[in-house]
Amino acid sequence: MKTIDTLLAELGGDLSGQRVLVRSDLNVPLDAPAAAAASSGPVITDDGRVRASVPTIERLVGAGARVLVVAHLGRPKGVPDPAYTLKPVAERLGELLGTPVLFAGDTVGDEASRIASALQDGQVAVLENVRFNAGETSKDDAERGAFADQLAALADVFVSDGFGVVHRKQASVYDVATRLPAVVGGLVQAEVEVLERLTETPQRPYVVVLGGSKVSDKLGVIDHLIDRADSLLIGGGMVFTFLKAQGHPVGTSLLEEDQVEVAKGYIDRAAAKGVELVLPTDIVVAPEFSADAPATTVSAQAIPEDQMGLDIGPESAQRFAEVIRAARTVFWNGPMGVFEYEAFAAGTKVVAQALTEVAKNGQGLSVVGGGDSAAAVRTLGFDDDAFGHISTGGGASLEYLEGKTLPGLSILEGDHT
Ligand code: AMP
């Protein structure tokens, strides 16, 4: 795979005069987008992904490139939607870069073309949300291709640096890489290097911690990792499908009834393979899903029928922490409970704390796999540096660990132009 180093070597270390289209991942969480849009615009609640995009952009700017950033925000429906404008994100990027960033109010329209052709060496512009264009996510190759043609027309070179989207076959991730000389950016390169360590040569014990709301999102990764990990710890909303599979009552907790048999299959397979599958022994429950619902701790085998499980209990959290602390490699995806509410954040906090101890002595590798887990550790006040690696892509890292081919990476492997 060609990198920015390759590009610099080919061009004698100087990118001046080159218009470089960078696919970044600026998909930050927003505070109530619809309501905020009505007043002063969306508010960024965690700028981790913007920060993670900065080094590649800085590197290109430092080499004199004219940088055009293309990215998405949220899930608009293929048409402009002010609730999902990238304008405030472009402003944040400018603050982090310490230099004004231009903003085009369209992605491939007149404004984008005008800005792209007027850009000076070392200047940065952000294009409006790429998902305001139906071609970006279209399943129709021709429609996606036509949009990719328009994107490619804005630039001379493409840098793929949006790790959170490399598992998507989308115009600004995949098709544009067949239309311009394309290289991988520093962020994607770093993410892939860490994931390679997890898949190829994990130091043992290798512990995988999974949580979050849905089992069905994590089936592929459980399936794949049962053959590779030494211990699999399961918490979060998905745990109730496993508890049900063991024959325990789960009250009104999240439950994916249609996955109970699958969960049973995993419990059996883990036992047959000698993989330690650790489920919680106690659960924090409440009568309803709300911040101030009265919380109590019950046995994981006896959740009352009118209560829902919203966090793993203290005994389970300690057990999880022990297994994690004894590991040399840990991958964690998905919070252990509804960490957004103080009363149900303790399990996630204890697990996060244990992960920091794996990385602390420099001996172990702890990887926080994107999305909600990354937001959770920051919300709970942990420093990014306390972890070996915080991935910017939850879905992408899970698909990589499932052993899937990621379109945005495989397309960079050949020379398509
Ligand atoms: P995911 O996107 O699948 O990683 O899920 C993340 C979400 O799972 C977070 O917003 C948590 O609040 C939620 N979550 C974690 N544990 C539970 C639970 N026991 N019940 C309901 N939601 C949960």
Side-chain angles (χ1 to χ4, degrees):
M1 220 181 280
K2 287 187 175 177
T3 63
I4 294 178
D5 284 330
T6 327
L7 182 66
L8 285 168
E10 281 172 5
L11 296 171
D14 181 15
L15 298 181
S16 49
Q18 299 284 332
R19 288 169 309 156
V20 180
L21 183 71
V22 182
R23 180 37 159 122
S24 297
D25 177 6
L26 303 178
N27 190 26
V28 288
L30 298 176
D31 198 6
S39 53
S40 56
V43 177
I44 301 168
T45 55
D46 174 23
D47 67 358
R49 283 178 163 163
V50 190
R51 289 178 183 277
S53 305
V54 165
T56 291
I57 296 171
E58 270 177 344
R59 180 134 198 249
L60 295 166
V61 164
R66 306 172 175 199
V67 178
L68 277 169
V69 179
V70 61
H72 77 282
L73 181 64
R75 293 178 183 264
K77 306 259 177 289
V79 289
D81 177 346
Y84 294 106
T85 177
L86 271 174
K87 193 155 193 285
V89 182
E91 281 162 15
R92 183 78 192 110
L93 178 64
E95 286 164 16
L96 292 167
L97 286 168
T99 171
V101 161
L102 302 170
F103 181 71
D106 52 28
T107 321
V108 291
D110 292 346
E111 203 172 325
S113 302
R114 192 155 26 81
I115 287 181
S117 40
L119 263 189
Q120 300 297 306
D121 291 349
Q123 265 192 331
V124 180
V126 173
L127 305 174
E128 182 56 290
N129 194 337
V130 70
R131 291 194 187 163
F132 286 180
N133 306 269
E136 168 68 358
T137 56
S138 174
K139 297 280 174 256
D140 176 40
D141 290 352
E143 189 185 5
R144 244 187 15 256
F147 179 58
D149 285 339
Q150 291 179 288
L151 275 174
L154 298 173
D156 307 300
V157 183
F158 175 61
V159 174
S160 178
D161 207 36
F163 181 70
V165 284
V166 289
H167 58 316
R168 305 280 185 214
K169 192 175 179 183
Q170 295 176 346
S172 70
V173 180
Y174 178 86
D175 304 86
V176 76
T178 66
R179 289 162 167 80
L180 287 173
V183 306
V184 66
L187 175 63
V188 172
Q189 212 183 331
E191 296 264 16
V192 170
E193 275 165 20
V194 170
L195 292 171
E196 268 172 3
R197 280 172 69 190
L198 289 185
T199 44
E200 286 165 20
T201 50
Q203 285 196 69
R204 296 187 178 275
Y206 176 19
V207 173
V208 175
V209 192
L210 296 175
S213 52
K214 279 177 120 188
V215 184
S216 42
D217 285 355
K218 316 258 154 91
L219 289 178
V221 81
I222 297 174
D223 197 61
H224 203 71
L225 291 174
I226 277 188
D227 293 329
R228 289 165 177 77
D230 299 300
S231 306
L232 206 54
L233 316 186
I234 298 188
M238 61 191 275
V239 85
F240 304 102
T241 305
F242 281 84
L243 292 175
K244 177 89 179 184
Q246 288 185 321
H248 306 310
V250 297
T252 56
S253 310
L254 264 189
L255 175 66
E256 282 176 82
E257 199 70 70
D258 57 340
Q259 305 296 339
V260 171
E261 282 307 310
V262 181
K264 242 182 225 167
Y266 290 142
I267 293 170
D268 294 345
R269 232 174 90 203
K273 296 218 163 246
V275 173
E276 184 189 26
L277 180 68
V278 186
L279 296 176
T281 48
D282 58 348
I283 298 284
V284 179
V285 298
E288 59 184 28
F289 189 100
S290 79
D292 45 13
T296 46
T297 302
V298 300
S299 158
Q301 304 187 2
I303 297 175
E305 64 179 35
D306 59 347
Q307 302 274 316
M308 61 175 67
L310 295 174
D311 194 11
I312 58 171
E315 178 185 282
S316 314
Q318 287 312 325
R319 170 83 186 112
F320 281 25
E322 263 167 42
V323 179
I324 292 168
R325 279 196 294 262
R328 296 294 288 264
T329 308
V330 189
F331 174 76
W332 174 31
N333 182 294
M336 296 293 100
V338 184
F339 71 94
E340 296 91 337
Y341 298 153
E342 178 64 31
F344 311 109
T348 304
K349 252 186 222 168
V350 171
V351 161
Q353 179 64 38
L355 254 88
T356 66
E357 287 163 36
V358 173
K360 207 189 272 174
N361 52 17
Q363 302 233 314
L365 173 66
S366 60
V367 179
V368 181
D372 277 312
S373 339
V377 296
R378 294 193 189 102
T379 310
L380 297 175
F382 290 93
D383 194 14
D384 284 19
D385 296 340
F387 302 90
H389 180 76
I390 299 188
S391 174
T392 52
S397 54
L398 284 177
E399 288 201 14
Y400 191 101
L401 292 181
E402 278 170 45
K404 285 192 181 157
T405 301
L406 309 189
L409 295 182
S410 58
I411 199 67
L412 297 177
E413 265 148 22
D415 192 355
H416 304 274
T417 51

